[in-house]
Amino acid sequence: MQDIAQTIKNNKLFSPLIYMLFFIYLAILSYLLFFGYYRQEDRIESYNLVPFKTINMYITFADYFKFKIWFSNLFGNIIAFMPFGFFLPIAFKKLRNLLIITFLSFLFSLFVETMQLTFHVGGFDVDDILLNTIGGFFGYMVFKLMYKLFKKPVT
């Protein structure tokens, strides 16, 4: 069976377009995570190593947070990493595996959190790693859903 993703990928314009979109996504993500408008000028040296501590805080005390803060901390991390899990299996056929994408999402998130702590542009939070990894997982699930929907049988 030949799928539509392979048909499109065989198109000479598709491959460079996917790599360019993935690069643009990584550039925007890097900007937001390290230089974004919400980054403070003060040095941040905080960290959380207790799983679900931050997540539980945002859920338990949701009424005390502005919606934008609450939503971006719980769902923004997931949404931000969904393109990571979506683009990787399109760009690299060998990465079309849920465990591999989930593991790479974890490693990339761990790298980001470590860099934020190292350069004092954000705190290290194990819950961010968890939510980002979930985002990569969901991104891959969207890829798989689209793959199945657009799969075209050979005639």
Side-chain angles (χ1 to χ4, degrees):
M1 284 187 144
Q2 183 175 4
D3 59 74
I4 192 144
Q6 190 61 41
T7 303
I8 294 171
K9 192 166 184 169
N10 289 340
N11 182 323
K12 299 286 184 210
L13 296 176
F14 181 75
S15 226
L17 178 64
I18 286 297
Y19 291 115
M20 185 173 66
L21 288 173
F22 189 55
F23 177 77
I24 290 170
Y25 157 72
L26 290 175
I28 291 170
L29 184 66
S30 296
Y31 172 77
L32 292 173
L33 293 173
F34 297 106
F35 311 105
Y37 66 93
Y38 64 92
R39 291 293 171 201
Q40 304 165 354
E41 291 187 19
D42 299 331
R43 292 171 58 97
I44 300 171
E45 297 186 21
S46 66
Y47 60 90
N48 169 39
L49 302 176
V50 180
F52 302 104
K53 180 179 178 182
T54 305
I55 294 170
N56 187 44
M57 177 190 68
Y58 281 111
I59 292 171
T60 303
F61 300 107
D63 295 341
Y64 296 97
F65 294 101
K66 292 182 180 179
F67 178 78
K68 182 179 177 182
I69 300 292
W70 177 85
F71 185 85
S72 66
N73 278 283
L74 289 178
F75 297 101
N77 284 310
I78 293 171
I79 293 166
F81 269 68
M82 284 181 71
F84 188 80
F86 180 78
F87 279 121
L88 277 179
I90 293 173
F92 305 100
K93 194 173 183 176
K94 290 183 179 184
L95 298 180
R96 291 184 182 178
N97 179 290
L98 178 62
L99 291 176
I100 291 173
I101 294 298
T102 304
F103 184 66
L104 290 174
S105 298
F106 168 79
L107 285 180
F108 185 57
S109 181
L110 177 63
F111 171 76
V112 165
E113 290 295 311
T114 303
M115 291 297 101
Q116 285 180 334
L117 182 64
T118 302
F119 294 109
H120 309 287
V121 294
F124 182 99
D125 193 334
V126 70
D127 288 347
D128 286 350
I129 295 171
L130 175 64
L131 294 170
N132 294 341
T133 302
I134 290 169
F137 171 87
F138 284 160
Y140 182 79
M141 297 311 288
V142 170
F143 161 77
K144 285 297 279 187
L145 178 65
M146 290 182 70
Y147 184 83
K148 286 182 180 187
L149 287 175
F150 294 107
K151 198 170 192 178
K152 145 179 145 176
V154 175
T155 56

